[in-house]
Amino acid sequence: MSSLTFISSVLLFQLLFTSHPCHRILTSAAPGERWQLLQKSIGISAMHMQLLSNDRVVVFDRTDFGPSNLPLPEGKCRFDLNDTAVKQDCTAHSIEYDVLSNKFRPLLVQTDVWCSSGAVTPNGDLVQTGGFNDGERKVRVFSPCSSCDWQESNNGLAARRWYSTNHILPDGRQIIVGGRKQFNYEFVPKNIAVSDNRAILLDYVKNKVVKRYPTIPGGDPRSYPSTGSAVLLPLKNLKASDIQAEVLVCGGAPKGSYSQATQGEFIGALKTCARILITDPNPKWVIDTMPLARVMGDMILLPNGNVLLINGAGSGSAGWEFGRNPVLNPVLYRPDNKIGTRFETHTPTKIPRMYHSTAALLRDGRVLVGGSNPRTYYNLQVFYSLLN
């Protein structure tokens, strides 16, 4: 069975390092660390996950793959004349997962959230923006309550947003940056130089680029479809006049990986991480080498300041059928160690997590991992054959 066939069993949740207190599981690869299977099937693939203030996780997948394996409550259906797979759908493409009880309930999302982006507001609401097809200009809100469901506004964005990035601002608004073929930004609520291997410092109040950072050495792209991952490391010297802020960017795929993958040639992913002190008057990228090459990975900032790298592929690029060699081992990055000693490889999972997989940090220090749908459309027959 090929790796791509195996990872069609996308309807799975797992927890990382469940048998140890968080101060231990986040600092060392203890002999007893293990993966725990929580649910054999949640009915949908976890393309996106977000932990909310009530210790529940909102999970959702794209809506235009046809019916899922989870029915909506009686009387609820999605009617969408623009859907490319089915016009009337009475199955769920989103759930609310209760971490404490290990139970979930179906949710109704009306428009396509494929590769949308979002953030949690100061009042606890998840605001999710953009997506694909009829969802590309939508703004959706999910509030943390036991009976809440998705609420959607009609064309709440000024531009189409697919694969964009959201960030919470000090005043509670979100700035939404970029997206496929969108070299601009806007705000939610409303009051519009993005690239794949460059970075800028933006004054969003004055709409002015304050600083342009150097290109990451090597010139390889780190954004979709050569998808890398990034995290802001813990701030140091928290005096307002002397804050030190560092950004870490890991993985991705070399130039040409996507076009080569469409021809059946799968180039090895990038094995480098690039780190830069953005508050330095003369910032420079510092390159480190990961133990495992990775594209489409996820990065989680842990409570002790370390970084978890998880999921993804060892070759190819993002996109259906374009990734190969699943990376099963999580890797821990210790930012305070000397260069060359920062990485530590941890216990592998048995389930590949490729295109459209995700991970989320829980409040008890565990990491929830789910998703993966590297094939176009659902393939439930393969899923069942793996279970039986």
Side-chain angles (χ1 to χ4, degrees), residues 166-299:
N166 293 34
H167 190 77
I168 289 289
L169 302 175
D171 61 8
R173 294 181 299 159
Q174 295 183 32
I175 183 171
I176 309 171
V177 182
R180 195 69 166 159
K181 298 181 180 179
Q182 292 293 351
F183 305 99
N184 50 58
Y185 61 91
E186 61 180 292
F187 301 93
V188 173
K190 291 180 180 177
N191 252 32
I192 290 184
V194 182
S195 190
D196 59 3
N197 61 6
R198 295 176 175 84
I200 62 170
L201 183 64
L202 174 70
D203 184 336
Y204 66 87
V205 176
K206 299 180 180 178
N207 190 26
K208 179 181 179 182
V209 176
V210 178
K211 181 181 290 187
R212 298 182 184 274
Y213 294 100
T215 302
I216 296 176
D220 285 311
R222 307 276 179 161
S223 61
Y224 176 86
S226 295
T227 308
S229 49
V231 68
L232 175 67
L233 296 176
L235 299 177
K236 297 180 179 179
N237 296 342
L238 294 181
K239 295 181 180 179
S241 59
D242 191 30
I243 291 179
Q244 296 182 23
E246 288 185 279
V247 172
L248 177 69
V249 181
C250 289
K255 289 180 178 178
S257 293
Y258 179 82
S259 59
Q260 288 296 310
T262 64
Q263 302 300 315
E265 296 291 333
F266 302 96
I267 300 173
L270 297 178
K271 203 174 183 179
T272 55
C273 285
R275 180 170 164 176
I276 190 170
L277 182 63
I278 63 174
T279 49
D280 193 309
N282 185 31
K284 297 180 180 178
W285 292 98
V286 177
I287 303 297
D288 207 344
T289 303
M290 299 186 289
L292 302 166
R294 196 180 303 256
V295 61
M296 297 183 286
D298 295 296
M299 292 173 69

Side-chain angles (χ1 to χ4, degrees), residues 45-237:
S45 178
M47 178 180 68
H48 289 293
M49 291 197 296
Q50 176 63 56
L51 176 68
L52 299 180
S53 58
N54 57 358
D55 277 330
R56 297 184 182 184
V57 180
V58 176
V59 181
F60 48 100
D61 189 19
R62 64 181 300 175
T63 60
D64 60 351
F65 264 8
S68 75
N69 202 34
L70 179 66
L72 286 165
E74 186 176 356
K76 284 193 174 183
C77 291
R78 184 176 63 89
F79 300 94
D80 190 347
L81 297 179
N82 297 311
D83 195 289
T84 57
V86 60
K87 308 303 180 186
Q88 177 176 333
D89 187 358
C90 299
T91 63
H93 299 274
S94 177
I95 69 164
E96 180 193 62
Y97 173 71
D98 189 329
V99 173
L100 299 179
S101 67
N102 191 26
K103 296 180 180 179
F104 59 91
R105 65 182 180 96
L107 302 174
L108 174 60
V109 60
Q110 288 284 355
T111 56
D112 199 348
V113 291
W114 177 27
C115 299
S116 57
S117 56
V120 177
T121 62
N123 71 353
D125 290 345
L126 169 61
V127 176
Q128 197 75 17
T129 57
F132 186 65
N133 198 7
D134 62 349
E136 59 194 7
R137 292 180 60 191
K138 297 291 183 178
V139 176
R140 309 167 196 85
V141 179
F142 185 88
S143 299
C145 80
S146 59
S147 60
C148 290
D149 212 331
W150 287 100
Q151 303 296 319
E152 302 193 26
S153 65
N154 189 31
N155 292 335
L157 298 178
R160 298 173 176 177
R161 302 289 175 189
W162 188 49
Y163 284 107
S164 57
T165 299
N166 293 34
H167 190 77
I168 289 289
L169 302 175
D171 61 8
R173 294 181 299 159
Q174 295 183 32
I175 183 171
I176 309 171
V177 182
R180 195 69 166 159
K181 298 181 180 179
Q182 292 293 351
F183 305 99
N184 50 58
Y185 61 91
E186 61 180 292
F187 301 93
V188 173
K190 291 180 180 177
N191 252 32
I192 290 184
V194 182
S195 190
D196 59 3
N197 61 6
R198 295 176 175 84
I200 62 170
L201 183 64
L202 174 70
D203 184 336
Y204 66 87
V205 176
K206 299 180 180 178
N207 190 26
K208 179 181 179 182
V209 176
V210 178
K211 181 181 290 187
R212 298 182 184 274
Y213 294 100
T215 302
I216 296 176
D220 285 311
R222 307 276 179 161
S223 61
Y224 176 86
S226 295
T227 308
S229 49
V231 68
L232 175 67
L233 296 176
L235 299 177
K236 297 180 179 179
N237 296 342

Side-chain angles (χ1 to χ4, degrees), residues 347-367:
T347 305
T349 177
K350 295 180 180 180
I351 302 174
R353 302 288 183 179
M354 306 277 274
Y355 191 48
H356 289 160
S357 58
T358 188
L361 178 69
L362 302 179
R363 289 205 299 171
D364 59 8
R366 298 179 297 172
V367 175

